[in-house]
Amino acid sequence: MILFPFLERCFLIPEETYDPYENLAIEKELFEKVKSGKIPNFFRIWRNRKSVIIGISPESKKEVRSKICLALGIPIVRRFTGGGAVYHDLGNINWTVALRSTFKSSSLRNPLKIYREFGGVVLRILEKFGLRGKIFKNSVFVKNRKICGMAAYISSDSLLCHGTFLVNSDLEIMRRVLKMKFPVANLKELLNERIHVSKVIDLIIETFEEEFKVEEFIKVNSGSILQSFFGL
């Protein structure tokens, strides 16, 4: 059941930079504008070069092998949402949905229900590749291996949910820099074939558009949004 029937008009922001600091700054800045009602809802695709992204809680950094990150030259960057530590590289696709609403339904204030909603879209994406997934808390698993993790920020009148999607990430480095809670898998390994990230990006956008019944995706970049709305 779709809990978010208010995506008629939505900005689509394609990937613009691979810098993790820039990407997370863009994420926060755009969400603040959605919260204040200055820009419409947005759906964003983004990727980072090799980096470890930790949640807002100090506990998140305990999941990271900081000395190995330092030795490998991999930055540790904090995001403004909850959840644990994740490893990013160009073989991992990040997606973000930011929405503004009155949130009268208690379901929209329940993180697990929100993860089930957005995780359900990830399940549809996997089905298009002939794979069956399962949602557990804020993660999606295929054959007991994690392929997607999600985190969210919920305020009184808006929410942001973002997630990962492993396509052909370097899992060896991931295991070295993180204290893994679950086994993980790339889409490439699950399909036992090479697959280009751009194909998966197109399918992610297509599936979110279908599932949330988006009437109009307005393709823009974050810089043009900020310039158009704020003269920055």
Side-chain angles (χ1 to χ4, degrees):
M1 179 179 178
I2 296 297
L3 295 176
F4 309 111
F6 39 80
L7 272 180
E8 291 87 357
R9 181 172 178 265
C10 185
F11 280 156
L12 168 62
I13 306 172
E15 58 182 1
E16 304 166 288
T17 175
Y18 299 140
D19 185 302
Y21 295 98
E22 288 184 20
N23 268 323
L24 290 168
I26 289 169
E27 192 96 329
K28 192 171 190 302
E29 180 70 16
L30 289 175
F31 183 51
E32 289 298 323
K33 305 312 178 191
V34 170
K35 285 171 63 179
S36 63
K38 292 180 179 178
I39 66 172
N41 303 324
F42 72 80
F43 177 78
R44 181 171 179 243
I45 291 289
W46 49 291
R47 288 186 293 160
N48 285 330
R49 60 174 179 258
K50 292 178 181 179
S51 52
V52 169
I53 312 299
I54 58 176
I56 193 67
S57 168
E59 296 296 308
S60 180
K61 196 168 182 179
K62 294 180 181 179
E63 302 173 11
V64 183
R65 295 187 174 95
S66 301
K67 290 183 179 179
I68 295 178
C69 288
L70 181 62
L72 295 175
I74 294 176
I76 301 171
V77 188
R78 191 178 298 277
R79 63 180 185 269
F80 68 97
T81 55
V86 292
Y87 170 74
H88 285 181
D89 62 17
L90 297 182
N92 167 70
I93 301 168
N94 303 298
W95 52 266
T96 301
V97 179
L99 309 168
R100 191 171 193 276
S101 172
T102 55
F103 287 172
K104 294 178 180 178
S105 169
S106 60
S107 296
L108 302 179
R109 313 247 346 125
N110 183 319
L112 289 180
K113 289 186 178 180
I114 289 170
Y115 294 140
R116 282 200 294 271
E117 185 78 3
F118 287 103
V121 182
V122 176
L123 296 184
R124 301 290 90 73
I125 295 167
L126 291 169
E127 287 173 2
K128 292 181 178 182
F129 287 105
L131 298 170
R132 175 174 290 185
K134 181 182 293 186
I135 301 168
F136 176 70
K137 294 184 178 179
N138 66 331
S139 302
V140 177
F141 291 79
V142 178
K143 298 177 181 177
N144 296 317
R145 292 186 286 175
K146 184 174 176 178
I147 190 171
C148 165
M150 295 171 281
Y153 182 99
I154 306 167
S155 69
S156 60
D157 59 359
S158 54
L159 76 83
L160 177 144
C161 184
H162 51 195
T164 59
F165 195 95
L166 294 172
V167 179
N168 56 13
S169 188
D170 190 331
L171 301 186
E172 181 57 36
I173 291 184
M174 183 186 295
R175 294 184 185 103
R176 290 181 65 188
V177 299
L178 297 181
K179 300 170 186 177
M180 308 288 291
K181 295 180 180 178
F182 304 103
V184 294
N186 281 312
L187 182 64
K188 177 184 72 172
E189 294 149 6
L190 293 168
L191 295 176
N192 196 28
E193 64 180 70
R194 292 178 61 85
I195 184 163
H196 202 279
V197 167
S198 62
K199 177 181 178 181
V200 184
I201 287 175
D202 290 343
L203 202 57
I204 290 173
I205 294 170
E206 173 190 293
T207 309
F208 269 92
E209 185 174 13
E210 293 169 352
E211 293 296 311
F212 288 100
K213 299 178 173 59
V214 179
E215 292 183 2
E216 183 182 16
F217 257 145
I218 305 168
K219 191 171 183 179
V220 293
N221 61 60
S222 61
S224 69
I225 293 175
L226 296 175
Q227 287 177 352
S228 298
F229 283 82
F230 315 110
L232 298 180

